[in-house]
Amino acid sequence: MRLQLCTWLDVEAYLKRSSGIIMPIGSTEQHGPTGFIGTDAICPELIAAAMAEKLDVMIAPTINVGMAQHHLGFPGSIALRPTTLIAVICDHVKSLARHGFDRFFFINGHGGNTPSMHAAFSEIYAEKSFGGGGDGPSVRCELHNWWKMPSVKKITDEEFKDAEGFHATVSEVALTYHGYPEDGDRVKLDTLDPTLAPVGPIFDADDFRARFPDGRIGSDPTLATPELGKRFLEAVTVEMIEDYNKFLAAD
Ligand code: NI
């Protein structure tokens, strides 16, 4: 059930059944020569949609722009500063908490978001601790980085090991090709030079572009196929549903 396709009456009725909501969060940033700029937002969105096919669960609008300052050397990338992202997350959660949602299950598609997400969760808890939360329910936020889940790692280890890389990875590119096969056909390439992209640290945008000229870090996303993407999606959806149910059942 997508929040954006609900009426307020639908949401009011849902809140009588559940106070849980899935919050897809990603980024709008370059993903190498063969990956969509929306990759990090598209992946959590596809996983959330697959979960909603099997569960009566509300899906919040995807937070599409994240902490991606290091990608700004490439056209099309959009970034929020860490402090902006923290404020965006807090305002999403506080808006929904006002209506009675109190279990926020974040599916994240971008590693650069995680420090700001943890800081946002601390801000939300701090507000309650300092007496600003009123008499409302105690909010819980949980972060799930889909690409780090054991079901995903199992497939990457079996299929391509090191070629998975760290940015513009095979798994995330495959998942988006499964979701958008015609666009995948349009952007995919048979080979990249070098086959495996360089690895290294991340600082500012100009430094990133110099270290990683085509945008990839350590990956060979020419291995990505829609079929692989389907495997990733099915495996991670099963695991994510288990985690969501545990989250709702926890104190
Ligand atoms: Ni990514």
Side-chain angles (χ1 to χ4, degrees), residues 29 31 39-40 109-110 167-168 172:
E29 65 184 47
H31 270 75
T39 296
D40 287 353
H110 174 51
H167 181 66
E172 62 181 346

Side-chain angles (χ1 to χ4, degrees), residues 2 15 25 27 46 65 79 87 98 101 145 148 150-151 171 182-183 191 207 220 239 245 247:
R2 286 176 55 192
L15 281 163
I25 179 168
S27 184
L46 291 171
V65 181
R98 181 189 162 102
F101 288 98
N145 292 321
K148 283 191 172 170
S151 57
S171 58
E182 287 176 14
D183 293 290
T191 57
D207 182 82
D220 176 14
E239 196 180 1
N245 286 331
F247 177 54

Side-chain angles (χ1 to χ4, degrees), residues 183-214:
D183 293 290
D185 280 346
R186 178 175 55 80
V187 300
K188 75 178 183 191
L189 296 170
D190 292 334
T191 57
L192 286 170
D193 183 21
T195 304
L196 276 190
V199 295
I202 295 173
F203 301 107
D204 62 75
D206 290 341
D207 182 82
F208 187 106
R209 178 118 195 198
R211 287 176 194 275
F212 314 111
D214 75 1

Side-chain angles (χ1 to χ4, degrees), residues 54-73:
K54 299 192 165 80
L55 281 181
D56 175 27
V57 64
M58 188 66 75
I59 313 288
T62 303
I63 299 175
N64 274 292
V65 181
M67 209 305 289
Q69 59 81 18
H70 45 296
H71 292 291
L72 288 176

